[in-house]
Amino acid sequence: MSSLFKAKDYCVFTFVSTAHAFKAERVLKMEALEHIMIPTPREISTSCGLSIKLFPQDRERYQQLMAEKDVSLERVYHIDPQGIREL
């Protein structure tokens, strides 16, 4: 089991639509990159109920990949025990 499941310090990508969330998941799976599809945390208000959870050190690489593959991100958040920050 991935340590990402229990991570207390992570990033979340939110999406403009469910279709973009599923496209992002397909892209990440094709590249064999570690991630988890999760329900969007309640503390984050978005139009889509699905998000991608990833390690903070992977954020820039994954964001670049999303841009290259034409996946629209709504927002990017860093979540840790101190709170939630939009990046």
Side-chain angles (χ1 to χ4, degrees), residues 57-74:
Q57 62 267 25
D58 296 328
R59 180 186 58 82
E60 289 182 23
R61 178 177 171 206
Y62 289 19
Q63 274 186 277
Q64 179 63 35
L65 183 60
M66 295 299 109
E68 290 170 7
K69 299 296 184 178
D70 199 30
V71 178
S72 296
L73 298 178
E74 182 178 50

Side-chain angles (χ1 to χ4, degrees), residues 33-46:
L33 297 173
E34 190 168 13
H35 70 285
I36 303 171
M37 177 80 76
I38 62 169
T40 300
R42 292 181 195 164
E43 303 84 8
I44 301 171
S45 176
T46 67

Side-chain angles (χ1 to χ4, degrees), residues 21-51:
F22 284 120
K23 184 176 179 181
E25 184 177 42
R26 281 193 308 274
V27 167
L28 294 171
K29 280 184 177 181
M30 286 176 46
E31 298 289 329
L33 297 173
E34 190 168 13
H35 70 285
I36 303 171
M37 177 80 76
I38 62 169
T40 300
R42 292 181 195 164
E43 303 84 8
I44 301 171
S45 176
T46 67
S47 57
C48 173
L50 296 174
S51 296

